[in-house]
């Protein structure tokens, strides 16, 4: 870790900030505003999503903001939602769970 920091410091002293944007560096994206959180909350209250990727696609479509699944989970927890992994339940011939 110390070597990595030393390498970054050395490059910064030589090149400054110039190469970082050219190296496809993306700073932290913008957060959703309170007005943008309301449609997300309403959507999650009325519809079921199996994966956080589906929710990320909804956020991208509605607000243009880009969230990754890992970054979306803290937002969902702040909004009062929880994530539960779905389980498959075997059923009998009549379709009812055993």
């Amino acid at each position: 870790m110390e070597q990595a920091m030393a390498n970054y410091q050395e490059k910064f002293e030589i090149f400054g900030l110039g190469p970082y944007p050219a190296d496809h560096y993306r700073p932290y994206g913008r957060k959703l505003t309170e007005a943008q959180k309301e449609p997300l909350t309403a959507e999650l209250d009325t519809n079921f999503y199996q994966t956080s990727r589906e929710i990320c696609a909804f956020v991208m479509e509605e607000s243009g903001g880009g969230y990754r699944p890992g970054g979306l989970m803290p937002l969902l927890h702040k909004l009062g939602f929880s994530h539960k992994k779905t389980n498959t339940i075997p059923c009998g011939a009549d379709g009812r769970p055993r």
Side-chain angles (χ1 to χ4, degrees), residues 3-4 11 14 20 30 32 34-36 41 43-44 46-47 50 67 75-76 79 86 92 98:
Q3 184 61 40
K11 287 182 182 180
I14 295 170
Y20 290 101
R30 63 183 173 88
L32 294 180
E34 292 301 319
Q36 292 172 322
T41 302
E43 176 72 14
L44 295 175
T46 57
N47 294 311
Q50 289 188 344
Y67 272 90
L75 171 64
L76 296 179
L79 295 175
T86 55
R98 295 181 194 179

Side-chain angles (χ1 to χ4, degrees), residues 14-48:
I14 295 170
F15 301 110
L17 286 176
Y20 290 101
D23 194 24
H24 307 290
Y25 171 75
R26 294 189 312 170
Y28 179 72
R30 63 183 173 88
K31 294 182 179 181
L32 294 180
T33 64
E34 292 301 319
Q36 292 172 322
K37 290 178 187 176
E38 290 174 11
L40 174 61
T41 302
E43 176 72 14
L44 295 175
D45 281 337
T46 57
N47 294 311
F48 177 75

Side-chain angles (χ1 to χ4, degrees), residues 8 10 15-17 20 22 25 27 31 41-42 44 49 52 55 57 67 70 72 85 91 96:
Y8 284 123
E10 181 182 337
F15 301 110
L17 286 176
Y20 290 101
Y25 171 75
K31 294 182 179 181
T41 302
L44 295 175
Y49 288 87
S52 56
I55 302 171
Y67 272 90
L72 183 69
K85 187 173 182 175
C91 62
R96 293 190 339 217

Side-chain angles (χ1 to χ4, degrees), residues 30-32 36 56-67:
R30 63 183 173 88
K31 294 182 179 181
L32 294 180
Q36 292 172 322
C56 288
F58 173 80
V59 170
M60 180 63 87
E61 183 179 309
E62 288 294 312
S63 66
Y67 272 90

Side-chain angles (χ1 to χ4, degrees), residues 1-11:
M1 177 77 168
E2 291 178 21
Q3 184 61 40
M5 292 302 292
N7 289 340
Y8 284 123
Q9 182 176 358
E10 181 182 337
K11 287 182 182 180

